[in-house]
Amino acid sequence: MAAQHQVREAFVALYGAEPDGVWAAPGRVNLIGEHTDYNDGFVMPFALPHEALAAVSRRDDGILRLHSADIEGGVAELRLDDLAPETDEAWTSYPAGVVWALREAGHPVTGADIHLTSTVPSGAGLSSSAALEVVVALALNDLYDLGLQRWQLARLCQRAENVYVGAPTGIMDQTASACCEAGHALFLDTRDLAQKQIPFDLAAEGMRLLVVDTRVKHAHSNGEYGKRRAGCEKGAALLGVDALRDVPYADLDAALARLDDEEVRRLVRHVVTEDERVERVVALLESGDTRAIGPVLTEGHASLRDDFRVSCPELDLVVSTAVAAGALGARMTGGGFGGSAIVLAEAADVDTLTKAIEEAFAAAGHTAPRVFEAVPSAGARRVS
Ligand code: ADP
Ligand code: MG
């Protein structure tokens, strides 16, 4: 693969020696199960062919050197002993955070030279940040013989992002990047991290899944995420459960009747119905009824738009246009307030749908979206 050679060559040019190896970790798209991962619920991501590639060598002198081909600026040189949470606002906080989290957990990492590049669009809700974290974690796990399992690496990466970078995220993104398999979606129970690989080979059945990156990121998204999280915790506390995951779908109406606060009621309704939708999608895929997941995706979008209120005009426009133009189903994916939507379509309809979405964006005066096909791809791995 050309990209691997380029990463190696760039590493040699920067650091003056061959890297110990090259690792890859993908971005992800979430098929269904949105805003459930911090409610101990279910998610179902799959890995994108877009990925971060890192050439890495170990060092034994307590120094971490970092370079990204995609960011202006030279090599950042950090001392491991100086790493401290929320002291770095730059991209380097993601890989440095992983090294910090590993060391904090007692793993004997003594330094590294890292050069990386990524084809995961940044800030598009496709988890470029998790790809960066996981590629570094896997490389160090191998180079330092740490013997950590994939789910443990994901946990450490989540800790890096939550504590070191200071960005509240659930466990989905890092687990997807670390654990997904080609041709499958990953059914993940975020409470105990139990996993099941669900065959998801759309091409074999004459379908495609499009990702539509709206290229907008509304500025208030972080604050709104925090509010939703807090609202969900309040709902769980009022209902006397550890997490909203513990409210059975069959008991939803009774649970809602116990809540006075309309805002909390809407959040609870989204989370409980979304967990049920994930289970429905798993059952449909396992029974081979793949086309029937389309309406479930569209239902999930309505819930995110009307109850959880994390959509935005651009995402709603993708979904309404796609469904009107004959898509099997569509929904926003990722945290919301911009980022990307997914569209499930018959292969024969892809061009018509793409054109309809592009025209709708042009007519509304929005920036042209980026549309690409998402093929369920491999998770993180050593590539050389
Ligand atoms: P998302 O994960 O949805 O893409 P985030 O805001 O969580 O969005 O992460 C994006 C950040 O990750 C960027 O601002 C940058 O700091 C870092 N990042 C992503 N890709 C790269 C890259 N190729 N090189 C350096 N930093 C990157
Ligand atoms: Mg991210």
Side-chain angles (χ1 to χ4, degrees):
M1 203 167 78
Q4 269 174 53
H5 290 297
Q6 278 169 16
V7 170
R8 269 190 176 271
E9 277 169 26
F11 184 99
V12 174
L14 281 169
Y15 300 122
E18 284 285 329
D20 293 339
V22 178
W23 287 260
R28 63 95 188 98
V29 138
N30 191 22
L31 182 62
I32 187 86
E34 216 66 76
H35 288 277
T36 48
D37 67 345
Y38 51 86
N39 291 296
D40 277 4
F42 305 131
V43 296
M44 205 174 171
F46 64 86
L48 290 170
H50 306 68
E51 59 190 14
L53 273 180
V56 184
S57 285
R58 55 180 283 176
R59 298 174 66 105
D60 298 312
D61 59 356
I63 299 287
L64 175 63
R65 294 197 288 179
L66 299 168
H67 184 264
S68 168
D70 312 315
I71 302 277
E72 301 243 347
V75 174
E77 185 166 322
L78 309 167
R79 285 161 30 121
L80 299 189
D81 288 341
D82 294 342
L83 300 181
E86 298 198 48
T87 51
D88 181 1
E89 306 245 294
W91 73 275
T92 44
S93 65
Y94 295 93
V98 171
V99 174
W100 171 83
L102 283 166
R103 280 166 52 87
E104 228 226 357
H107 302 295
V109 175
T110 52
D113 285 339
I114 300 177
H115 165 70
L116 56 84
T117 184
S118 176
T119 54
V120 186
S122 173
L126 303 174
S127 275
S128 69
S129 60
L132 230 56
E133 292 152 10
V134 171
V135 79
V136 169
L138 186 66
L140 297 175
N141 188 46
D142 285 352
L143 290 177
Y144 283 95
D145 279 325
L146 302 179
L148 293 165
Q149 295 182 39
R150 297 298 175 114
W151 67 269
Q152 293 174 302
L153 294 176
R155 270 270 184 250
L156 285 163
C157 289
Q158 183 199 13
R159 186 161 162 72
E161 185 148 350
N162 290 172
V163 180
Y164 193 91
V165 178
T169 61
I171 189 66
M172 168 170 66
D173 299 351
Q174 294 84 2
T175 308
S177 186
C179 302
C180 279
E181 291 179 8
H184 293 78
L186 178 73
F187 174 52
L188 176 71
D189 180 335
T190 63
R191 169 161 279 166
D192 60 5
L193 300 188
Q195 303 185 359
K196 193 170 182 191
Q197 301 286 344
I198 310 290
F200 189 54
D201 184 1
L202 292 171
E205 296 186 64
M207 282 172 280
R208 300 284 185 272
L209 196 130
L210 300 178
V211 174
V212 182
D213 172 8
T214 63
R215 304 176 100 138
V216 294
K217 189 76 204 163
H218 294 289
H220 53 278
S221 60
N222 276 347
E224 293 294 325
Y225 179 93
K227 277 193 220 163
R228 299 302 182 286
R229 249 186 118 131
C232 288
E233 280 164 24
K234 189 173 164 195
L238 288 169
L239 293 169
V241 291
D242 286 343
L244 291 182
R245 163 332 168 22
D246 296 311
V247 179
Y249 180 67
D251 297 349
L252 177 59
D253 288 343
L256 294 176
R258 290 171 54 202
L259 297 169
D260 298 329
D261 185 334
E262 172 60 19
E263 169 84 21
V264 174
R265 211 166 26 226
R266 280 195 275 101
L267 298 178
V268 170
R269 186 161 54 212
H270 167 72
V271 173
V272 176
T273 58
E274 185 78 350
D275 274 339
E276 188 274 338
R277 278 185 288 273
V278 179
E279 294 188 287
R280 230 188 311 157
V281 165
V282 170
L284 288 168
L285 290 178
E286 288 190 322
S287 68
D289 200 359
T290 308
R291 281 179 174 77
I293 74 170
V296 189
L297 303 185
T298 310
E299 224 179 86
H301 184 77
S303 179
L304 288 160
R305 181 191 60 209
D306 302 335
D307 272 346
F308 218 70
R309 304 200 182 181
V310 289
S311 190
C312 65
E314 294 86 351
L315 290 167
D316 291 343
L317 187 61
V318 176
V319 172
S320 60
T321 306
V323 171
L328 295 161
R331 62 181 285 272
M332 55 160 276
T333 184
F337 303 109
S340 300
I342 55 175
V343 177
L344 181 70
E346 301 291 353
D349 294 339
V350 163
D351 291 345
T352 317
L353 285 168
T354 304
K355 198 154 166 271
I357 293 164
E358 285 169 353
E359 284 175 0
F361 268 58
H366 299 322
T367 307
R370 175 167 37 194
V371 185
F372 62 90
E373 193 190 322
V375 180
S377 300
R381 66 214 177 276
R382 186 174 191 153
V383 292
S384 72

